[in-house]
Amino acid sequence: MQSLVQVQNEFLKFLVGKGLLSNERGLEIEQRAATEGVTAEQLLIREKIISEEELTKQKAVFFGLPYVDLIGEHLDPQILKTIPKHVAENYHVVAFGKDSGELKVAIIDPRNFQAMAALDILASQESLRLRYHVVSLSGFEAAFKGYEELKGEV
């Protein structure tokens, strides 16, 4: 029998619509996330309902942004240090590419408008346009290790 109660979380609704999650499972995730004080995304990954990278790919589609996998990638230190380490760490963003005045920025949460505002200021100082890509937490952590290879504080 079809449930009359629908998932409220827009991203979970999206996953249900894509057939990656049943409405019933979405409701369960929504309720458990609220009870446990975690995000639905964290619960989906922790319970291995959807892999972290697949969830990130779906988040990218949901937000209309490209997805980037930075796990195992070696980033150019000159590009990486475009965003100071403390900014990258605070906002969970990392610069990973640059061409024609455009800086490619990986961001874990595209809803983090504070991060985007801070990066807009940095970009304007360097006369750069920003192109956001959605990255998983694991991808961000792998890329962030590149800061350790830089000499001195960035």
Side-chain angles (χ1 to χ4, degrees), residues 68 70 92-96 104-108 133-135 140:
V68 65
L70 296 177
H92 295 106
V93 295
V94 66
F96 69 93
K104 295 178 182 178
V105 177
I107 186 166
I108 293 175
H133 293 66
V134 182
V135 68
F140 167 78

Side-chain angles (χ1 to χ4, degrees), residues 4 14 30-31 36 55 64 67 73 87 104-105 132 145:
L4 296 177
F14 172 78
E30 210 168 42
Q31 291 165 353
E36 295 177 25
L55 188 69
Y67 160 81
E73 295 293 319
V87 173
K104 295 178 182 178
V105 177
Y132 291 101
K145 288 179 183 172

